[in-house]
Amino acid sequence: SSPGIPSGKRVRRRVGRDKKVAQLAESAGRLDYERFKAGIYQPMAALDTLMPAVVEDFISAVEEGVFSRRGKPSDKYVDQIRGKLGVAMFDMGMDLLADTQDGDGKLLLFLQRLLAGDVKDREGNWVGGGAGSRSGKTRAPMSASQRDEYGRLLKQFGKWLEDTDRVSRNPFRKFKA
């Protein structure tokens, strides 16, 4: 049996004194066991997974409408998310899933560079706010609200990483818009 996977025997572990917490822990264990029986349980996915593959898995979840209250999002919205995540992962140097270990520190520096207009995409074009920066040829600072969009998106991405057992905790959890 794998660590954290029940061996088939019913084992009740009491977590703390609170009955509600114990019940939640037990139900989480049952869910893990059901995933294991179905062959889809991956406790902490391989940290050497390439980040573009992880981002595409997230994009697939977005396309299915997992995060939307209004159904499936438009193709334009999905492309914007793909672009923003691509810029963020490139600028923060996150090539592998393991690179998210110091996500909060990298995120803070990335958001500061966005405000200053010091961020380029993979093609070497400037990422920023003003009308002159639309072509990517000129450097322009980004507004605080645009910067916060990136922060919220990365925090949502981190929560998805945690919810899908790819990381043990959200690497961008400390961001507050």
Side-chain angles (χ1 to χ4, degrees):
S1 92
S2 298
I5 301 295
S7 62
K9 296 179 183 176
R10 181 154 170 86
V11 177
R12 289 189 78 175
R13 292 188 183 106
R14 189 90 188 241
V15 181
R17 296 177 148 186
D18 189 359
K19 184 177 178 180
K20 181 74 172 169
V21 172
Q23 288 171 341
L24 288 172
E26 185 179 354
S27 67
R30 276 197 306 267
L31 180 61
D32 285 347
Y33 182 64
E34 294 301 320
R35 288 179 180 167
F36 177 71
K37 285 192 328 190
I40 57 173
Y41 184 74
Q42 292 182 316
M44 301 313 125
L47 292 177
D48 61 347
T49 304
L50 293 174
M51 190 54 83
V54 175
V55 169
E56 282 307 312
D57 286 350
F58 176 74
I59 295 296
S60 296
V62 170
E63 286 174 330
E64 292 170 9
V66 171
F67 305 105
S68 176
R69 293 184 198 119
R70 294 180 227 129
K72 294 186 178 186
S74 69
D75 291 340
K76 181 179 176 183
Y77 178 73
V78 171
D79 288 341
Q80 288 173 344
I81 289 176
R82 183 179 281 117
K84 286 178 180 179
L85 279 176
V87 165
M89 296 300 130
F90 175 71
D91 188 73
M92 291 188 286
M94 293 185 177
D95 299 320
L96 300 172
L97 187 56
D99 296 333
T100 62
Q101 300 288 335
D102 181 31
D104 279 325
K106 290 176 182 177
L107 177 62
L108 179 62
L109 292 173
F110 169 68
L111 295 176
Q112 287 172 344
R113 285 194 303 276
L114 276 176
L115 277 180
D118 288 336
V119 175
K120 287 187 174 186
D121 62 14
R122 287 188 190 277
E123 288 79 39
N125 297 320
W126 291 104
V127 176
S133 70
R134 297 276 182 240
S135 64
K137 305 290 185 232
T138 57
R139 183 176 159 206
M142 188 173 278
S143 71
S145 64
Q146 288 175 309
R147 179 220 39 208
D148 290 348
E149 282 179 31
Y150 275 86
R152 283 191 296 272
L153 174 61
L154 287 166
K155 192 168 183 175
Q156 180 183 29
F157 176 64
K159 183 172 179 354
W160 175 82
L161 288 173
E162 183 179 10
D163 290 346
T164 57
D165 289 333
R166 293 168 194 259
V167 295
S168 58
R169 64 182 189 181
N170 184 345
F172 310 113
R173 69 193 167 285
K174 293 182 182 174
F175 172 74
K176 290 181 179 41

